[in-house]
Amino acid sequence: MSVKKVAVLPGDGVGNDVIEAAFIVLERLEPEIEYEWGDIGWEFWKTEGDALPKRTVELLKRTDACLFGAITSKPKEECEAELIPELKGKGLVYRSPIVRLRQMFDLYINYRPCKAYKNNPLIYREGIDLHVFRENTEGLYSGVEFHPLPDDLRTAMNSHSPNMAKFDSSPGEDIAVSCRIFTRGSCRRIVRAAFEFADDKGYKSVTVVEKPNVVRETSGLMVREARKVARDFPGIELWETNVDAMCMWLLKNPHDYSVLVTSNMFGDIVSDLCAQLVGGLGFAASGNRGDSYALFEPTHGSAPKYAGMYKVNPIAMLISTCLMLDYVGQKELAEALEKAISDVIAEGKYRTYDMGGTSTTLEVAKAVASRL
Ligand code: IPM
Ligand code: MG
């Protein structure tokens, strides 16, 4: 097997803490991987006016996968205020680097496993085993937004939708529009990824989570494409739910569900709910995958107030590391790592503060490493 190249982007805030934890287990596992470290995050926004420097994009292009920590994003005014003087007033616009990377590398699957590990005091109920497939490149994250609403756009919208008439009395300045764009191909490929996963792992149903009764065109397209894809998987049932009801049912009967597939923003929301069912963001790992590249990250943020304190739970990062190992063909190491993580949780001796313990980020990682 050829040695795989993995880019490592710690980012900022607790991103550095959890990447350090990941390397404690990687150094123990010694997978056949060459690492190359890169720059991303708030520091580079402040000093270079871009949180995702071009050299980092080039780095990703010459690697097979990426291990990503966390990065800080701030509201518009603060972004401008923190730029170095030379960069102020140049009209630089901060856009989330992670969202840009997902789109730039066409990482259309955001896979988020949410599993209730035994003896984790934070889980909602035992036995929960959910797998969220979130469309990762379009929908409300398409970045097609307007404020104020331009006159020519209003005219075009008026001529295509009678429902626009109710906004006639509002000036453009008082209207903001964010487009929720779905393409047939993207609906199809995310649903197919969910079905292939269910097929591979032996799950008997895939639940498409949308809202086609109200958001008729976009959610409708997703559900119609899901029905078509489902025909190729006769052993797996397609269940259709509305996102609002789904949130209720996930709390009421979490064991009824296994593989969920949904669009970008609904997936963002539903995956946080699923994460909380199994212990919160400290357990929320993710793999952003495309056909030729993948980026693995814990879904917690950068929690700047905890940066460098080695306080946060590294488990989400360690599970993301398992997903990365699996992706680069180190399946056995990935399985060994997952077992070590699950054993450390079950043992209950090393727990970070969120789990009611006093262990540091690195102590938990060392406990995992010592079982490998
Ligand atoms: C996530 C996060 C991101 C998202 C943010 C940080 C842009 O919430 O990965 O779920 O909205 O996708
Ligand atoms: Mg989120």
Side-chain angles (χ1 to χ4, degrees):
M1 193 173 51
S2 68
V3 175
K4 298 283 183 185
K5 290 203 178 85
V6 171
V8 183
L9 307 181
D12 53 58
V14 299
N16 292 296
D17 304 32
V18 294
I19 284 281
E20 201 176 321
F23 271 83
I24 289 176
V25 304
L26 285 170
E27 274 160 22
R28 183 78 173 209
L29 286 168
E30 296 187 328
E32 290 197 23
I33 290 176
E34 250 172 47
Y35 305 101
E36 214 181 313
W37 295 66
D39 299 333
I40 199 165
W42 195 246
E43 201 45 48
F44 305 95
W45 163 255
K46 289 196 302 191
T47 56
E48 300 180 24
D50 192 353
L52 172 58
K54 285 194 182 60
R55 60 183 177 281
T56 304
V57 174
E58 292 309 315
L59 162 65
L60 266 55
K61 286 185 184 159
R62 61 175 183 267
T63 52
D64 300 294
C66 172
L67 203 55
F68 184 96
I71 42 180
T72 304
S73 297
K74 299 191 185 182
K76 211 164 148 185
E77 294 72 27
E78 280 174 58
C79 289
E80 173 70 18
E82 290 199 27
L83 285 169
I84 54 170
E86 300 89 294
L87 294 174
K88 283 204 171 86
K90 290 202 162 164
L92 293 170
V93 179
Y94 184 90
R95 278 193 62 216
S96 162
I98 185 67
V99 173
R100 282 162 68 195
L101 286 174
R102 290 167 182 168
Q103 297 182 353
M104 200 183 281
F105 287 84
D106 199 24
L107 308 176
Y108 60 90
I109 304 165
N110 195 328
Y111 167 59
R112 300 184 158 184
C114 297
K115 175 166 160 183
Y117 285 98
K118 285 215 168 51
N119 202 26
N120 174 356
L122 301 175
I123 60 172
Y124 178 62
R125 282 184 205 157
E126 273 177 30
I128 296 174
D129 178 35
L130 295 162
H131 303 267
V132 180
F133 283 77
R134 161 185 177 189
E135 201 292 320
N136 213 21
T137 57
E138 47 186 49
L140 270 173
Y141 284 65
S142 297
V144 182
E145 305 193 276
F146 306 92
H147 182 240
L149 179 64
D151 287 340
D152 53 347
L153 184 56
R154 182 202 288 264
T155 308
M157 287 165 90
N158 261 318
S159 71
H160 288 282
S161 174
N163 294 333
M164 270 305 285
K166 61 175 164 290
F167 302 110
D168 279 353
S169 58
S170 302
E173 181 49 41
D174 291 351
I175 304 180
V177 175
S178 301
C179 298
R180 189 178 194 248
I181 304 177
F182 285 26
T183 59
R184 193 186 301 282
S186 286
C187 292
R188 209 178 270 167
R189 64 187 184 170
I190 190 64
V191 175
R192 184 162 290 281
F195 269 90
E196 281 171 354
F197 173 86
D199 193 30
D200 186 40
K201 306 281 180 197
Y203 290 105
K204 296 288 169 234
S205 68
V206 169
T207 306
V208 59
V209 185
E210 280 296 329
K211 186 82 188 179
N213 55 339
V214 177
V215 200
R216 292 177 181 280
E217 300 312 332
T218 44
S219 284
L221 185 65
M222 177 72 95
V223 172
R224 286 193 301 276
E225 289 309 310
R227 289 178 190 157
K228 288 186 208 158
V229 171
R231 287 189 213 131
D232 294 341
F233 298 85
I236 303 171
E237 271 182 53
L238 173 70
W239 296 349
E240 297 173 16
T241 62
N242 287 330
V243 62
D244 51 342
M246 188 68 202
C247 291
M248 249 171 35
W249 287 331
L250 277 169
L251 286 178
K252 193 163 179 248
N253 306 317
H255 300 108
D256 286 359
Y257 303 95
S258 48
V259 183
L260 313 181
V261 59
T262 183
S263 49
N264 212 341
M265 181 60 93
F266 289 170
D268 181 40
I269 299 166
V270 168
S271 64
D272 271 18
L273 170 57
C274 293
Q276 191 55 45
L277 294 178
V278 299
L281 290 175
F283 295 84
S286 75
N288 298 265
R289 296 189 329 233
D291 289 332
S292 54
Y293 200 76
L295 179 153
F296 301 87
E297 50 156 352
T299 65
H300 56 66
S302 65
K305 67 175 179 182
Y306 292 144
M309 290 168 69
Y310 298 109
K311 200 175 149 74
V312 297
N313 195 336
I315 291 184
M317 181 79 238
L318 298 183
I319 303 172
S320 306
T321 307
C322 287
L323 299 176
M324 181 278 284
L325 288 169
D326 189 58
Y327 178 80
V328 299
Q330 309 265 351
K331 213 177 165 58
E332 282 172 20
L333 296 187
E335 281 167 9
L337 177 54
E338 213 222 328
K339 173 146 194 334
I341 295 168
S342 129
D343 287 349
V344 167
I345 298 171
E347 185 195 32
K349 197 165 150 202
Y350 295 95
R351 289 176 168 170
T352 43
Y353 81 99
D354 55 321
M355 297 176 79
T358 55
S359 304
T360 65
T361 308
L362 303 185
E363 280 164 359
V364 173
K366 282 176 196 156
V368 172
S370 72
R371 286 171 176 273
L372 289 164

